[in-house]
Amino acid sequence: MSDTAIRFGIIGAGVAGRYHAQAIAQTPGARLMAVCAGHPERATALADAFNARVEPDVAALLACDDIDAVCICTPSGQHAEQGIAAAKAGKHVLVEKPLAITLADADALIDACRTAGVHLGVALQRRTDPDFCAAREAIAAGALGRPILGVVTIPYLRTQTYYDSAAWRGTWALDGGGALMNQGIHLVDLLIWLMGDEIVEVQAHTATLAHTIEVEDCAGATLRFASGALGTIAATTAAAPGFPHRVEVYGTQGGIQIEGEAIVRWETIHHAPPASLHVTSGSGRQEAGAGAYPTGISAIGHTRILGDFVAAIRECRQPLVSGSEARRALAVVLAIYESAREGKPVRPG
């Protein structure tokens, strides 16, 4: 593809839509052309803020000849249908997490993009953090020895007002789940990526303990990896006032602890931290960030994922987080839900 700008449309004008608009504005070689949303007034506000136009609906936006790629920032249950429509219209697709809310829909979206010859990327943006990338490379090179335990803790707060703010929130049909599917999938993905291993079995419990919603606001799961390593995931959106999440990987020669968006400890028997990896000095308290409110994350992750997506289109390569990569975390979350329903261990699909 030539060096002309990759022209984007955004479907959805909520919190995620604004993050994507900011990312496009900050990415050389990207330009926002149009926005559409179920709430026209939100589409107008977002388009006006970023010098774009409003299209009346998804079909109209996808019919535009001056749009090369779309960012799908709608409720999770709409991602697959809209992504498939975009692929059939010949548009590259960057979808906000999760990729879809069922594996059948995820596979249909992946297949549609492959058939159409368009790129599919997913906004699991923590994979773009330079420190996390350096940590992953070091773990893969054996800096922690053989990984034996992976831990994810997500003590978030989302108020009832948050769930009541939009009819889709907290529903199975459009949110696809609660603390794990909406908030926790980022950290499930990060754990799988850092461990460099597949989760082959989960055993779980879920509950709705503090909100009036269909989905879970509390979940706990034990994990077994293909290598024999074990793990745990604990997630809630009822931990007032909200705390930073933690992701930890321990091996036979050391461990890493991530709190919020910072690596707070890297300690091994034989290996110093990689020179490119920054460890927060001391035991400084991390801000709750996303643990306390949905907009409690920097836009830099979305800007990096958008920049990589633009580069992937130009270089005819897979994006950093492809559809098949994003499917792995989705499969684990869905297996946790199945295990909680059935009361037995489940192998992710």
Side-chain angles (χ1 to χ4, degrees):
M1 179 169 284
S2 69
D3 290 336
T4 57
I6 304 298
R7 302 165 297 178
F8 281 85
I10 294 178
I11 302 173
V15 172
R18 184 160 292 272
Y19 273 115
H20 282 253
Q22 291 172 338
I24 293 166
Q26 295 168 8
T27 300
R31 181 181 175 190
L32 179 59
M33 306 300 296
V35 178
C36 72
H39 296 275
E41 69 282 2
R42 293 183 186 175
T44 298
L46 186 62
D48 288 350
F50 290 90
N51 298 313
R53 68 177 184 273
V54 175
E55 292 293 340
D57 53 37
V58 173
L61 186 144
L62 295 180
C64 295
D65 291 334
D66 64 347
I67 290 177
D68 307 305
V70 294
C71 296
I72 297 179
C73 304
T74 49
S76 305
Q78 298 175 346
H79 290 178
E81 180 181 0
Q82 293 170 346
I84 290 168
K88 290 180 176 179
K91 314 300 185 187
H92 303 289
V93 180
L94 179 61
V95 61
E96 185 56 42
K97 60 77 192 167
L99 171 64
I101 61 172
T102 70
L103 292 182
D105 280 351
D107 291 338
L109 176 53
I110 292 168
D111 289 344
C113 290
R114 183 184 299 116
T115 298
V118 298
H119 288 73
L120 172 61
V122 184
L124 289 165
Q125 69 273 10
R126 285 181 175 85
R127 290 199 192 192
T128 68
D129 185 282
D131 286 335
F132 298 167
C133 290
R136 180 176 184 266
E137 291 177 5
I139 292 169
L144 302 184
R146 178 168 55 86
I148 57 172
L149 183 66
V151 179
V152 170
T153 309
I154 307 167
Y156 280 12
L157 176 67
R158 295 293 183 266
T159 63
Q160 186 65 42
T161 300
Y162 162 83
Y163 287 109
D164 293 343
S165 68
W168 66 273
R169 295 192 187 280
T171 67
W172 287 112
L174 289 176
D175 216 349
L180 278 177
M181 183 68 83
N182 190 307
Q183 286 78 27
I185 199 165
H186 277 295
L187 292 319
V188 175
D189 177 72
L190 189 59
L191 178 68
I192 295 169
W193 188 62
L194 289 173
M195 289 286 288
D197 198 1
E198 295 293 333
I199 295 172
V200 297
E201 185 179 271
V202 304
Q203 177 100 51
H205 295 279
T206 61
T208 308
L209 301 177
H211 299 95
T212 304
I213 53 177
E214 295 177 3
V215 297
E216 90 289 353
D217 62 14
C218 196
T222 56
L223 319 171
R224 183 169 59 85
F225 290 84
S227 65
L230 300 179
T232 65
I233 296 171
T236 185
T237 52
F243 300 84
H245 56 257
R246 292 180 67 88
V247 179
E248 304 165 50
V249 174
Y250 300 100
T252 54
Q253 296 181 18
I256 177 176
Q257 296 176 339
I258 296 169
E259 185 171 307
E261 308 307 322
I263 296 175
V264 296
R265 191 168 187 180
W266 173 283
E267 192 165 320
T268 68
I269 296 172
H270 302 296
H271 299 267
S276 58
L277 186 152
H278 175 257
V279 179
T280 301
S281 59
S283 56
R285 175 176 170 179
Q286 300 299 304
E287 294 296 324
Y293 45 96
T295 57
I297 59 170
S298 165
I300 186 62
H302 280 87
T303 301
R304 290 177 183 139
I305 210 84
L306 196 289
D308 172 79
F309 188 67
V310 167
I313 294 171
R314 294 193 185 284
E315 298 165 11
C316 297
R317 62 165 173 82
Q318 287 289 314
L320 177 63
V321 187
S322 65
S324 59
E325 278 293 298
R327 186 189 187 279
R328 299 165 70 197
L330 175 64
V332 170
V333 170
L334 291 172
I336 289 171
Y337 289 157
E338 182 180 351
S339 175
R341 287 194 306 269
E342 301 295 330
K344 63 182 181 181
V346 171
R347 184 182 183 91

